[in-house]
Amino acid sequence: MIRMAIANQKGGVGKTTTAINLATALAATGSKVLLIDLDPQGNASTGIGIGVDQRERSTYDLLVDQVPLRECVVPTRIPGLDIVPATVDLSGAEVELVSVENRTERLAAALGQDVGHDICLIDCPPSLGLLTLNALCAADTLLVPLQCEFFALEGLSQLLRTVEQVQQRFNPDLGIIGVALTMFDRRNRLTDQVADDVRSCLGPLVFDAVIPRNVRLSEAPSHGLPALVYDHACAGSRAYMALARELIARLPEARKAA
C-alpha cells in the first residue's frame, strides 16, 4: 500500500478538497483506496458523506487507544473508497500523546495492519504538530496543495524544512510526489506571478494541472459528495481529474520508494 500525506501547515489551501477528490478519482480507476481523516474538524469525513452518527470509531481511537485499523474503517458511498473518520476528540490527541512512547509512530503502526487497500491518502490538519508528524512518519510520499497567494512560498519553505527534519530523524524514505497549485484565479495578476515563482523554484515537482477557484467545488461538501460526483463536468472537477492523471503517472516511482 502506498501511503500519501496531503499536508500544508497553512489553512484554507484546499487540502481536504484535494484529498476527497483525488481519493474518488483513484477509486474510479479500480484502486482500493483508504482515506485517513487526521484533522479534528472532520471535514474530509463530512465532505465524503460520513455523518457524526457513523463515526463510532475514529482516528482518535486509532492513535490514542490503538484500536485495530479494521474496526475504525468505514465504507463510503463511493465504490472502492473507505475512510477512517475524525471526530472532535482528535483535538486532544496531541496533548494525550506527548508523554507516550513512540508517539510519532502511532499512525505508521496502525497502517501496518492494513490488508486490501492499494493506496492510503492522509488528510492532515493545518499545523505542523504531532498529528501531521505522525502522517509524515507513516507516509511514503507527500503531496502539497499550495494556494496561489502572496505568502505561499514562505509557508512552503517552512514545510520543506520540516520534511527535511522528518527525513533526518524519523523517516528517511519520505519523498515529495508533487506540489498542486490550488485556488487559481486567472483574473488576479498576482495569482499568475505566484504560480510562475513556484514553478521557477520547484520546476517539474509542480503538477501541470492547476485547480481553479470554483463555486461547485465549494458547494459539494455541503451535499456530502466529492465534486467529481456532485458535478463531474464543472471546471474544478475537470482540473482534479487532470491532476489525478498526473498523480497516477508519478505513483510508480512512489511505489518503488515504498
Side-chain angles (χ1 to χ4, degrees):
M1 181 176 67
I2 296 175
R3 306 171 184 178
M4 183 189 308
I6 299 177
N8 188 326
Q9 77 275 15
K10 192 174 185 304
V13 300
K15 287 188 298 296
T16 298
T17 301
T18 298
I20 289 172
N21 285 288
L22 285 181
T24 301
L26 291 167
T29 67
S31 294
K32 187 71 173 171
V33 182
L34 178 63
L35 178 59
I36 304 288
D37 189 350
L38 213 56
D39 188 342
Q41 298 177 82
N43 290 337
S45 307
T46 302
I48 209 77
I50 304 300
V52 176
D53 58 336
Q54 295 175 268
R55 306 179 200 180
E56 293 182 15
R57 300 288 193 182
S58 68
T59 44
Y60 174 87
D61 301 290
L62 191 70
L63 294 178
V64 176
D65 296 330
Q66 295 184 294
V67 173
L69 179 65
R70 65 180 181 276
E71 295 182 22
C72 300
V73 172
V74 178
T76 73
R77 68 183 79 181
I78 309 300
L81 174 57
D82 297 327
I83 186 172
V84 179
T87 63
V88 70
D89 293 339
L90 191 61
S91 60
E94 299 220 17
V95 175
E96 294 182 55
L97 290 175
V98 164
S99 59
V100 173
E101 189 177 356
N102 297 325
R103 59 184 176 272
T104 62
E105 307 294 333
R106 287 292 182 106
L107 184 59
L111 293 180
Q113 306 165 13
D114 184 83
V115 288
H117 292 99
D118 301 308
I119 183 166
C120 172
L121 274 62
I122 309 167
D123 182 33
C124 297
S127 72
L128 293 177
L130 192 51
L131 293 176
T132 298
L133 185 56
N134 259 271
L136 296 179
C137 289
D140 304 310
T141 192
L142 170 67
L143 187 150
V144 183
L146 190 70
Q147 184 180 0
C148 295
E149 56 104 58
F150 182 71
F151 293 111
L153 282 175
E154 182 178 328
L156 179 63
S157 63
Q158 183 181 355
L159 177 62
L160 295 180
R161 285 195 297 272
T162 299
V163 170
E164 287 181 7
Q165 292 171 354
V166 170
Q167 289 170 330
Q168 292 168 7
R169 296 182 58 190
F170 302 109
N171 184 4
D173 297 325
L174 178 65
I176 301 177
I177 200 165
V179 175
L181 298 176
T182 62
M183 300 185 179
F184 190 88
D185 187 350
R186 296 192 182 279
R187 298 168 299 178
N188 187 337
R189 191 173 300 173
L190 178 63
T191 296
D192 283 313
Q193 182 180 336
V194 170
D196 290 343
D197 288 346
V198 173
R199 292 189 188 281
S200 65
C201 288
L202 300 177
L205 197 61
V206 183
F207 290 102
D208 292 332
V210 174
I211 310 302
R213 288 189 178 275
N214 182 251
V215 173
R216 305 298 269 178
L217 285 180
S218 302
E219 291 176 349
S222 66
H223 296 271
L225 291 170
L228 291 180
V229 176
Y230 178 64
D231 184 352
H232 72 276
C234 73
S237 291
R238 293 198 305 270
Y240 272 117
M241 285 188 278
L243 178 60
R245 285 193 291 270
E246 284 190 73
L247 178 64
I248 289 168
R250 297 187 187 191
L251 280 178
E253 294 302 317
R255 185 174 282 111
K256 288 176 189 175

